[in-house]
Amino acid sequence: MFVPLGKEDVNLRDYNLLLPAISVGNVGQLAIDLIISTLNIPKVGYFYTDCLLPMVGNNPYATNQENAKELCTNAEVYALPSHKLAVLQLRSIVIKKKLKTICQALISWIKRSAFSKVILLSSCHAYQRDDTQLLGTPFRYLITPVFQKFTADVLRELGWKEMEKVSTYPGMNDNEKRLSIPGGGFTKALYEDCCLEEIHMAVVLKFCSEGDNMPDAFSLLNQVNEWLHLVEPSNGDSHPKWKAPSSWRLLFGSGLPPALF
Amino acid sequence: MATFFGEVVTGFSRAVGEEEEEEEEEEFEEDKEIREELEKRREVHVSWNELISAEISPDRRLPCTHLILSVGDNAAGFVSSYILSSGSWQVCGSIALWNERCRDCGIRNDVSPAPNSCTLFQMISDPMVLLCQCSCYVADDQLLQWCEKVFGSLEKSKLKVTVLSTCPVSEYKTIESTYTLPVPFLKALKTKEYKDVVPCPLMEQPNIADGLPAAVLTYCQVWKIPAVFYQCYTDITKLDSVTIEAFCPVLTVQSLGNLTADSAKIQETLKKMVKMRNIESNLYI
């Protein structure tokens, strides 16, 4: 459920919505962090849900001592009216057995807000790729049938590849195929719900593995930016300069005890 | 299932793999019944004593100006010795829940912190001040439900919330090594509406809080209730007087300072509590 920051409701009609999937390497979430931090998008409300594990901390995008004191929660909505851009950031994992419930909650909010399009940033286990997927670009996209006629040509022109389907019974019968996004969290469930609900939705994902996934986030965002032009690159550069938020420090733990050396 | 490095909060299970969820669709009718039964059993129940439950109705809630919540043994120990030992408190209710780590969350009538309990106290001289000691494990799926059930029966217009808890210092993130930090120490988080002075430094990013304190703070932040959370980073997980005393700066805040017991009573309760713990943990007696 969306709860506005202040007393007045927020109108997000015809905005583009970007949201992450909680997926392998947290690539979608890291990419969303980069967008919010780079465009300095203000917070407009909370996505109040019992499907995500609660967590609180201080402002992850703090730029000075004053704004470092703002509390942040596990699911928050940011909006930039000048770009007609809304961003949902999810900061913790989906509680077991709540995957379907969170998809339903997201769908009903998306429908009520009347977004112009929804883009889900996600990732998929790199080790699950088949032989053909090993070569070429590590990015894939999926678009809902209603969104096909608006975007399929644009994405094809950009040279993007659609996520391949895999055989339901590999080696036995290759005619029956299904969509599989291992490690993609709720990506597949949300995509399928969006297909049913006829929502203009696209998934952009990257094949990756767990580790230091910051480079994956940068590259996924560059890919999305080619399509959406969220940030124009400064002259001469092929990609814009994304600004990593202050909270990305110490992602791999504290300093080491000096006595070790 | 793989472990995930980058995750800031760890869950009981991280089900990013879709396979697990898909299997559920094919479950038998009998399994579904069992699951529904389990879900019903996992509901959180708040029960108030007779006097209070007579006051509460669907359109009338319990007036409350301050709710103090202690989570875990040391925070409960602090509250028991420094606040509850004044004697001007009575048990007014309890919260019962059941999950995989907490099979018997029973109702207690004494003021000492007991394992596996979640007890509500009311101040005798000012019945609008409530205190909750929670030393049982609240499972992931019960956290927000806990908040909704507890806050659901309170009148929130003048409510202020204080949460106390502890956490291992190894979870504290800093450029230096945690090995060289003087422990225990306090860090605070506050909601947007909380305007009082905070007697300790605020928790710096990328440090975060999770569990019940995080659920309560999320609830308070979203529904615009002033709340503050004091996290004590310590290297001792069991009840211990040094960690308990680390909470003392919070008593300088007026709303809590007014509730402090006499120092004689504090020392007496503290001694009793620590002694009991020592006996329990001594193999040779």
Side-chain angles (χ1 to χ4, degrees):
Chain A
M1 175 173 60
F2 176 75
V3 181
L5 199 64
K7 283 182 182 138
E8 282 166 37
D9 205 10
V10 182
N11 183 9
L12 298 173
R13 177 170 283 275
D14 295 332
Y15 275 51
N16 289 336
L17 172 71
L18 283 173
L19 80 160
I22 298 124
S23 54
V24 52
N26 307 83
V27 177
Q29 293 162 290
L30 291 169
I32 293 288
D33 257 359
L34 284 174
I35 297 170
I36 298 172
S37 171
T38 308
L39 292 172
N40 199 10
I41 311 180
K43 187 176 5 180
V44 293
Y46 309 96
F47 192 76
Y48 181 73
T49 170
D50 63 349
C51 302
L52 296 170
L53 216 54
M55 60 90 29
V56 281
N58 276 319
N59 185 3
Y61 314 111
T63 47
N64 55 46
Q65 283 200 331
E66 206 37 52
N67 67 17
K69 293 176 189 163
E70 292 161 14
L71 193 75
C72 88
T73 67
N74 56 4
E76 295 182 315
V77 182
Y78 297 75
L80 197 61
S82 60
H83 287 56
K84 284 247 167 203
L85 178 69
V87 178
L88 169 68
Q89 176 62 304
L90 306 175
R91 298 197 174 90
S92 64
I93 54 179
V94 180
I95 294 170
K96 198 169 156 63
K97 315 257 186 208
K98 299 265 189 182
L99 198 124
K100 290 200 177 81
T101 327
I102 193 164
C103 287
Q104 283 161 6
L106 286 169
I107 295 278
S108 72
W109 175 58
I110 288 168
K111 283 174 81 175
R112 203 165 335 112
S113 306
F115 292 113
S116 114
K117 58 177 175 278
V118 179
I119 291 107
L120 178 73
L121 305 184
S122 181
S123 51
C124 177
H125 280 308
Y127 66 79
Q128 293 265 3
R129 285 173 297 176
D130 64 19
D131 290 354
T132 55
Q133 290 172 327
L134 284 172
L135 291 169
T137 171
F139 302 100
R140 292 291 184 275
Y141 74 86
L142 282 167
I143 33 181
T144 53
V146 281
F147 199 30
Q148 286 272 357
K149 60 176 177 220
F150 298 96
T151 39
D153 293 342
V154 183
L155 297 183
R156 218 170 288 130
E157 260 171 48
L158 286 168
W160 287 21
K161 264 185 162 174
E162 194 169 355
M163 183 73 178
E164 297 87 350
K165 291 198 163 140
V166 297
S167 301
T168 316
Y169 308 105
M172 304 270 287
N173 169 6
D174 284 341
N175 298 329
E176 209 173 306
K177 299 215 165 186
R178 67 185 186 102
L179 182 67
S180 166
I181 309 171
F186 62 60
T187 309
K188 184 182 163 187
L190 190 70
Y191 169 73
E192 285 178 345
D193 284 355
C194 284
C195 290
L196 286 176
E197 298 284 343
E198 303 192 331
I199 291 168
H200 289 206
M201 186 255 205
V203 179
V204 186
L205 61 84
K206 187 181 179 194
F207 292 116
C208 65
S209 304
E210 290 282 346
D212 179 356
N213 298 95
M214 286 184 253
D216 295 313
F218 281 101
S219 59
L220 180 67
L221 205 51
N222 284 332
Q223 180 84 355
V224 173
N225 199 47
E226 278 180 23
W227 171 31
L228 297 177
H229 303 286
L230 299 164
V231 181
E232 292 301 332
S234 50
N235 41 355
D237 293 342
S238 55
H239 298 300
K241 280 203 170 57
W242 303 104
K243 185 180 148 205
S246 50
S247 56
W248 279 22
R249 295 178 310 129
L250 311 172
L251 268 186
F252 296 94
S254 294
L256 299 168
L260 262 181
F261 307 105
Chain B
M1 183 156 288
T3 52
F4 291 83
F5 290 136
E7 206 56 73
V8 288
V9 258
T10 47
F12 204 69
S13 144
R14 168 166 174 144
V16 295
E18 59 188 35
E19 299 81 3
E20 213 171 312
E21 296 285 335
E22 267 181 340
E23 274 169 23
E24 275 171 30
E25 286 170 18
E26 293 161 25
E27 72 183 4
F28 298 106
E29 192 58 32
E30 199 180 335
D31 293 344
K32 206 176 148 197
E33 274 171 30
I34 294 170
R35 203 158 54 91
E36 278 169 6
E37 203 59 40
L38 269 175
E39 257 166 44
K40 210 188 278 171
R41 207 169 164 191
R42 294 177 76 89
E43 270 178 31
V44 177
H45 297 280
V46 181
S47 53
W48 299 95
N49 68 14
E50 285 168 12
L51 270 173
I52 292 178
S53 49
E55 269 186 53
I56 305 174
S57 64
D59 43 271
R60 199 182 135 66
R61 290 167 176 177
L62 187 68
C64 180
T65 51
H66 195 178
L67 172 71
I68 304 155
L69 167 67
S70 67
V71 182
D73 287 348
N74 278 307
F78 170 76
V79 167
S80 294
S81 51
Y82 280 80
I83 298 175
L84 287 179
S85 67
S86 70
S88 61
W89 295 83
Q90 60 184 8
V91 174
C92 68
S94 68
I95 299 152
L97 51 90
W98 181 93
N99 60 50
E100 58 283 344
R101 285 195 217 164
C102 173
R103 306 263 156 161
D104 57 340
C105 178
I107 298 164
R108 307 265 313 185
N109 288 312
D110 50 23
V111 290
S112 64
N116 280 342
S117 69
C118 202
T119 315
L120 289 152
F121 299 88
Q122 187 176 35
M123 199 173 178
I124 297 166
S125 54
D126 181 1
M128 301 232 263
V129 179
L130 297 180
L131 196 150
C132 176
Q133 280 199 316
C134 184
S135 56
C136 63
Y137 170 75
V138 185
D140 298 349
D141 55 324
Q142 294 173 322
L143 291 167
L144 214 63
Q145 201 196 126
W146 190 102
C147 298
E148 283 175 351
K149 291 269 168 78
V150 172
F151 288 104
S153 40
L154 301 181
E155 170 59 45
K156 292 184 271 290
S157 58
K158 288 184 185 141
L159 179 64
K160 187 187 285 182
V161 181
T162 305
V163 187
L164 305 168
S165 186
T166 51
C167 152
V169 70
S170 55
E171 286 181 19
Y172 185 71
K173 285 184 182 163
T174 164
I175 310 166
E176 308 152 52
S177 151
T178 51
Y179 184 73
T180 51
L181 288 176
V183 278
F185 58 91
L186 273 188
K187 293 280 172 185
L189 281 172
K190 60 185 179 71
T191 65
K192 204 179 166 200
E193 308 295 318
Y194 188 85
K195 305 287 182 217
D196 291 3
V197 183
V198 179
C200 67
L202 289 177
M203 200 183 277
E204 310 88 352
Q205 268 289 349
N207 287 293
I208 53 153
D210 59 5
L212 189 58
V216 171
L217 245 68
T218 303
Y219 184 93
C220 291
Q221 172 83 348
V222 172
W223 303 116
K224 302 168 183 67
I225 300 166
V228 63
F229 166 49
Y230 299 102
Q231 174 89 290
C232 177
Y233 287 94
T234 174
D235 50 1
I236 304 167
T237 49
K238 297 274 185 242
L239 191 75
D240 119 276
S241 58
V242 180
T243 307
I244 289 177
E245 278 162 13
F247 281 111
C248 283
V250 307
L251 295 173
T252 58
V253 179
Q254 202 193 358
S255 53
L256 279 167
N258 295 344
L259 310 175
T260 320
D262 303 340
S263 57
K265 278 184 178 158
I266 295 172
Q267 291 310 323
E268 192 192 324
T269 329
L270 210 53
K271 262 189 206 148
K272 211 163 74 185
M273 225 155 37
V274 174
K275 202 173 161 193
M276 203 152 77
R277 174 67 64 174
N278 283 346
I279 293 170
E280 274 174 11
S281 64
N282 195 332
L283 265 177
Y284 304 101
I285 287 181

PDB file of all heavy atoms in Angstrom, chain B residues 156-177:
ATOM      1  N   LYS B 156      -3.349   6.904  19.232  1.00  0.00           N
ATOM      2  CA  LYS B 156      -2.026   7.313  18.776  1.00  0.00           C
ATOM      3  C   LYS B 156      -1.794   8.822  18.676  1.00  0.00           C
ATOM      4  O   LYS B 156      -0.689   9.258  18.379  1.00  0.00           O
ATOM      5  CB  LYS B 156      -1.734   6.666  17.419  1.00  0.00           C
ATOM      6  CG  LYS B 156      -1.568   5.158  17.531  1.00  0.00           C
ATOM      7  CD  LYS B 156      -1.181   4.522  16.235  1.00  0.00           C
ATOM      8  CE  LYS B 156      -2.346   4.115  15.400  1.00  0.00           C
ATOM      9  NZ  LYS B 156      -3.136   3.001  15.886  1.00  0.00           N
ATOM     10  N   SER B 157      -2.822   9.628  18.959  1.00  0.00           N
ATOM     11  CA  SER B 157      -2.663  11.063  18.689  1.00  0.00           C
ATOM     12  C   SER B 157      -1.557  11.717  19.528  1.00  0.00           C
ATOM     13  O   SER B 157      -0.902  12.638  19.074  1.00  0.00           O
ATOM     14  CB  SER B 157      -3.986  11.779  18.882  1.00  0.00           C
ATOM     15  OG  SER B 157      -4.446  11.558  20.192  1.00  0.00           O
ATOM     16  N   LYS B 158      -1.347  11.241  20.769  1.00  0.00           N
ATOM     17  CA  LYS B 158      -0.294  11.849  21.591  1.00  0.00           C
ATOM     18  C   LYS B 158       0.820  10.866  21.895  1.00  0.00           C
ATOM     19  O   LYS B 158       1.615  11.055  22.814  1.00  0.00           O
ATOM     20  CB  LYS B 158      -0.903  12.343  22.900  1.00  0.00           C
ATOM     21  CG  LYS B 158      -1.764  13.578  22.695  1.00  0.00           C
ATOM     22  CD  LYS B 158      -2.275  14.096  24.004  1.00  0.00           C
ATOM     23  CE  LYS B 158      -3.228  15.239  23.755  1.00  0.00           C
ATOM     24  NZ  LYS B 158      -4.368  15.194  24.666  1.00  0.00           N
ATOM     25  N   LEU B 159       0.846   9.796  21.143  1.00  0.00           N
ATOM     26  CA  LEU B 159       1.780   8.708  21.449  1.00  0.00           C
ATOM     27  C   LEU B 159       3.224   9.023  21.056  1.00  0.00           C
ATOM     28  O   LEU B 159       3.491   9.647  20.032  1.00  0.00           O
ATOM     29  CB  LEU B 159       1.323   7.440  20.707  1.00  0.00           C
ATOM     30  CG  LEU B 159       2.181   6.190  20.876  1.00  0.00           C
ATOM     31  CD1 LEU B 159       2.186   5.714  22.317  1.00  0.00           C
ATOM     32  CD2 LEU B 159       1.672   5.065  19.981  1.00  0.00           C
ATOM     33  N   LYS B 160       4.121   8.590  21.924  1.00  0.00           N
ATOM     34  CA  LYS B 160       5.551   8.648  21.636  1.00  0.00           C
ATOM     35  C   LYS B 160       6.115   7.266  21.946  1.00  0.00           C
ATOM     36  O   LYS B 160       5.660   6.621  22.894  1.00  0.00           O
ATOM     37  CB  LYS B 160       6.190   9.707  22.539  1.00  0.00           C
ATOM     38  CG  LYS B 160       7.641   9.983  22.229  1.00  0.00           C
ATOM     39  CD  LYS B 160       8.249  10.902  23.256  1.00  0.00           C
ATOM     40  CE  LYS B 160       7.800  12.341  23.074  1.00  0.00           C
ATOM     41  NZ  LYS B 160       8.451  13.232  24.071  1.00  0.00           N
ATOM     42  N   VAL B 161       7.054   6.808  21.145  1.00  0.00           N
ATOM     43  CA  VAL B 161       7.548   5.443  21.321  1.00  0.00           C
ATOM     44  C   VAL B 161       9.065   5.447  21.550  1.00  0.00           C
ATOM     45  O   VAL B 161       9.795   6.180  20.884  1.00  0.00           O
ATOM     46  CB  VAL B 161       7.215   4.578  20.075  1.00  0.00           C
ATOM     47  CG1 VAL B 161       7.705   3.150  20.237  1.00  0.00           C
ATOM     48  CG2 VAL B 161       5.726   4.588  19.792  1.00  0.00           C
ATOM     49  N   THR B 162       9.508   4.652  22.517  1.00  0.00           N
ATOM     50  CA  THR B 162      10.950   4.467  22.740  1.00  0.00           C
ATOM     51  C   THR B 162      11.249   2.976  22.651  1.00  0.00           C
ATOM     52  O   THR B 162      10.577   2.176  23.306  1.00  0.00           O
ATOM     53  CB  THR B 162      11.362   4.976  24.139  1.00  0.00           C
ATOM     54  OG1 THR B 162      10.945   6.332  24.262  1.00  0.00           O
ATOM     55  CG2 THR B 162      12.859   4.888  24.343  1.00  0.00           C
ATOM     56  N   VAL B 163      12.210   2.609  21.836  1.00  0.00           N
ATOM     57  CA  VAL B 163      12.566   1.193  21.686  1.00  0.00           C
ATOM     58  C   VAL B 163      14.012   1.008  22.119  1.00  0.00           C
ATOM     59  O   VAL B 163      14.878   1.826  21.801  1.00  0.00           O
ATOM     60  CB  VAL B 163      12.413   0.734  20.213  1.00  0.00           C
ATOM     61  CG1 VAL B 163      12.610  -0.764  20.088  1.00  0.00           C
ATOM     62  CG2 VAL B 163      11.071   1.139  19.640  1.00  0.00           C
ATOM     63  N   LEU B 164      14.266  -0.056  22.872  1.00  0.00           N
ATOM     64  CA  LEU B 164      15.635  -0.371  23.314  1.00  0.00           C
ATOM     65  C   LEU B 164      15.979  -1.792  22.879  1.00  0.00           C
ATOM     66  O   LEU B 164      15.160  -2.695  23.017  1.00  0.00           O
ATOM     67  CB  LEU B 164      15.724  -0.310  24.845  1.00  0.00           C
ATOM     68  CG  LEU B 164      15.292   0.974  25.546  1.00  0.00           C
ATOM     69  CD1 LEU B 164      15.181   0.727  27.041  1.00  0.00           C
ATOM     70  CD2 LEU B 164      16.272   2.089  25.284  1.00  0.00           C
ATOM     71  N   SER B 165      17.176  -1.950  22.354  1.00  0.00           N
ATOM     72  CA  SER B 165      17.600  -3.303  21.995  1.00  0.00           C
ATOM     73  C   SER B 165      19.127  -3.395  21.939  1.00  0.00           C
ATOM     74  O   SER B 165      19.804  -2.371  21.991  1.00  0.00           O
ATOM     75  CB  SER B 165      16.995  -3.697  20.657  1.00  0.00           C
ATOM     76  OG  SER B 165      17.292  -5.042  20.382  1.00  0.00           O
ATOM     77  N   THR B 166      19.628  -4.611  21.825  1.00  0.00           N
ATOM     78  CA  THR B 166      21.077  -4.786  21.702  1.00  0.00           C
ATOM     79  C   THR B 166      21.394  -5.580  20.443  1.00  0.00           C
ATOM     80  O   THR B 166      20.519  -6.233  19.878  1.00  0.00           O
ATOM     81  CB  THR B 166      21.666  -5.570  22.889  1.00  0.00           C
ATOM     82  OG1 THR B 166      20.908  -6.752  23.042  1.00  0.00           O
ATOM     83  CG2 THR B 166      21.680  -4.772  24.148  1.00  0.00           C
ATOM     84  N   CYS B 167      22.640  -5.507  20.060  1.00  0.00           N
ATOM     85  CA  CYS B 167      23.060  -6.185  18.840  1.00  0.00           C
ATOM     86  C   CYS B 167      24.566  -6.428  18.950  1.00  0.00           C
ATOM     87  O   CYS B 167      25.278  -5.635  19.574  1.00  0.00           O
ATOM     88  CB  CYS B 167      22.666  -5.266  17.701  1.00  0.00           C
ATOM     89  SG  CYS B 167      23.602  -5.349  16.235  1.00  0.00           S
ATOM     90  N   PRO B 168      25.090  -7.537  18.399  1.00  0.00           N
ATOM     91  CA  PRO B 168      26.523  -7.807  18.511  1.00  0.00           C
ATOM     92  C   PRO B 168      27.351  -6.731  17.808  1.00  0.00           C
ATOM     93  O   PRO B 168      26.972  -6.279  16.724  1.00  0.00           O
ATOM     94  CB  PRO B 168      26.705  -9.150  17.801  1.00  0.00           C
ATOM     95  CG  PRO B 168      25.367  -9.675  17.533  1.00  0.00           C
ATOM     96  CD  PRO B 168      24.380  -8.590  17.674  1.00  0.00           C
ATOM     97  N   VAL B 169      28.448  -6.336  18.429  1.00  0.00           N
ATOM     98  CA  VAL B 169      29.279  -5.268  17.866  1.00  0.00           C
ATOM     99  C   VAL B 169      29.884  -5.697  16.525  1.00  0.00           C
ATOM    100  O   VAL B 169      30.214  -4.861  15.686  1.00  0.00           O
ATOM    101  CB  VAL B 169      30.351  -4.817  18.874  1.00  0.00           C
ATOM    102  CG1 VAL B 169      31.409  -5.888  19.071  1.00  0.00           C
ATOM    103  CG2 VAL B 169      30.987  -3.511  18.461  1.00  0.00           C
ATOM    104  N   SER B 170      29.959  -7.001  16.299  1.00  0.00           N
ATOM    105  CA  SER B 170      30.517  -7.483  15.027  1.00  0.00           C
ATOM    106  C   SER B 170      29.666  -7.043  13.840  1.00  0.00           C
ATOM    107  O   SER B 170      30.120  -7.036  12.706  1.00  0.00           O
ATOM    108  CB  SER B 170      30.638  -8.999  15.053  1.00  0.00           C
ATOM    109  OG  SER B 170      29.394  -9.561  15.362  1.00  0.00           O
ATOM    110  N   GLU B 171      28.405  -6.679  14.112  1.00  0.00           N
ATOM    111  CA  GLU B 171      27.543  -6.231  13.019  1.00  0.00           C
ATOM    112  C   GLU B 171      27.694  -4.747  12.731  1.00  0.00           C
ATOM    113  O   GLU B 171      27.115  -4.230  11.778  1.00  0.00           O
ATOM    114  CB  GLU B 171      26.077  -6.546  13.344  1.00  0.00           C
ATOM    115  CG  GLU B 171      25.785  -8.015  13.193  1.00  0.00           C
ATOM    116  CD  GLU B 171      24.347  -8.376  13.491  1.00  0.00           C
ATOM    117  OE1 GLU B 171      23.487  -7.476  13.471  1.00  0.00           O
ATOM    118  OE2 GLU B 171      24.100  -9.557  13.750  1.00  0.00           O
ATOM    119  N   TYR B 172      28.436  -4.054  13.586  1.00  0.00           N
ATOM    120  CA  TYR B 172      28.615  -2.620  13.394  1.00  0.00           C
ATOM    121  C   TYR B 172      29.634  -2.371  12.292  1.00  0.00           C
ATOM    122  O   TYR B 172      30.706  -2.972  12.285  1.00  0.00           O
ATOM    123  CB  TYR B 172      29.081  -1.978  14.704  1.00  0.00           C
ATOM    124  CG  TYR B 172      29.175  -0.481  14.645  1.00  0.00           C
ATOM    125  CD1 TYR B 172      28.021   0.298  14.597  1.00  0.00           C
ATOM    126  CD2 TYR B 172      30.405   0.167  14.619  1.00  0.00           C
ATOM    127  CE1 TYR B 172      28.098   1.679  14.526  1.00  0.00           C
ATOM    128  CE2 TYR B 172      30.487   1.547  14.556  1.00  0.00           C
ATOM    129  CZ  TYR B 172      29.328   2.294  14.508  1.00  0.00           C
ATOM    130  OH  TYR B 172      29.400   3.658  14.429  1.00  0.00           O
ATOM    131  N   LYS B 173      29.288  -1.509  11.349  1.00  0.00           N
ATOM    132  CA  LYS B 173      30.192  -1.242  10.227  1.00  0.00           C
ATOM    133  C   LYS B 173      30.891   0.090  10.397  1.00  0.00           C
ATOM    134  O   LYS B 173      30.252   1.111  10.600  1.00  0.00           O
ATOM    135  CB  LYS B 173      29.414  -1.254   8.921  1.00  0.00           C
ATOM    136  CG  LYS B 173      29.058  -2.657   8.499  1.00  0.00           C
ATOM    137  CD  LYS B 173      28.374  -2.670   7.177  1.00  0.00           C
ATOM    138  CE  LYS B 173      27.984  -4.085   6.813  1.00  0.00           C
ATOM    139  NZ  LYS B 173      26.997  -4.097   5.758  1.00  0.00           N
ATOM    140  N   THR B 174      32.196   0.045  10.347  1.00  0.00           N
ATOM    141  CA  THR B 174      32.994   1.244  10.499  1.00  0.00           C
ATOM    142  C   THR B 174      34.304   1.068   9.741  1.00  0.00           C
ATOM    143  O   THR B 174      34.697  -0.075   9.448  1.00  0.00           O
ATOM    144  CB  THR B 174      33.256   1.522  12.003  1.00  0.00           C
ATOM    145  OG1 THR B 174      34.316   2.446  12.118  1.00  0.00           O
ATOM    146  CG2 THR B 174      33.639   0.266  12.753  1.00  0.00           C
ATOM    147  N   ILE B 175      34.962   2.186   9.435  1.00  0.00           N
ATOM    148  CA  ILE B 175      36.207   2.095   8.657  1.00  0.00           C
ATOM    149  C   ILE B 175      37.287   1.393   9.480  1.00  0.00           C
ATOM    150  O   ILE B 175      38.102   0.659   8.963  1.00  0.00           O
ATOM    151  CB  ILE B 175      36.708   3.502   8.237  1.00  0.00           C
ATOM    152  CG1 ILE B 175      35.555   4.275   7.605  1.00  0.00           C
ATOM    153  CG2 ILE B 175      37.887   3.420   7.283  1.00  0.00           C
ATOM    154  CD1 ILE B 175      35.818   5.747   7.458  1.00  0.00           C
ATOM    155  N   GLU B 176      37.248   1.671  10.796  1.00  0.00           N
ATOM    156  CA  GLU B 176      38.227   0.980  11.650  1.00  0.00           C
ATOM    157  C   GLU B 176      37.758  -0.452  11.873  1.00  0.00           C
ATOM    158  O   GLU B 176      36.666  -0.821  11.465  1.00  0.00           O
ATOM    159  CB  GLU B 176      38.296   1.635  13.029  1.00  0.00           C
ATOM    160  CG  GLU B 176      38.520   3.109  13.055  1.00  0.00           C
ATOM    161  CD  GLU B 176      37.908   3.700  14.301  1.00  0.00           C
ATOM    162  OE1 GLU B 176      38.205   3.205  15.393  1.00  0.00           O
ATOM    163  OE2 GLU B 176      37.118   4.639  14.171  1.00  0.00           O
ATOM    164  N   SER B 177      38.556  -1.214  12.589  1.00  0.00           N
ATOM    165  CA  SER B 177      38.121  -2.552  12.932  1.00  0.00           C
ATOM    166  C   SER B 177      37.230  -2.479  14.174  1.00  0.00           C
ATOM    167  O   SER B 177      37.470  -1.677  15.065  1.00  0.00           O
ATOM    168  CB  SER B 177      39.358  -3.395  13.212  1.00  0.00           C
ATOM    169  OG  SER B 177      39.044  -4.398  14.123  1.00  0.00           O
TER     170      SER B 177
END
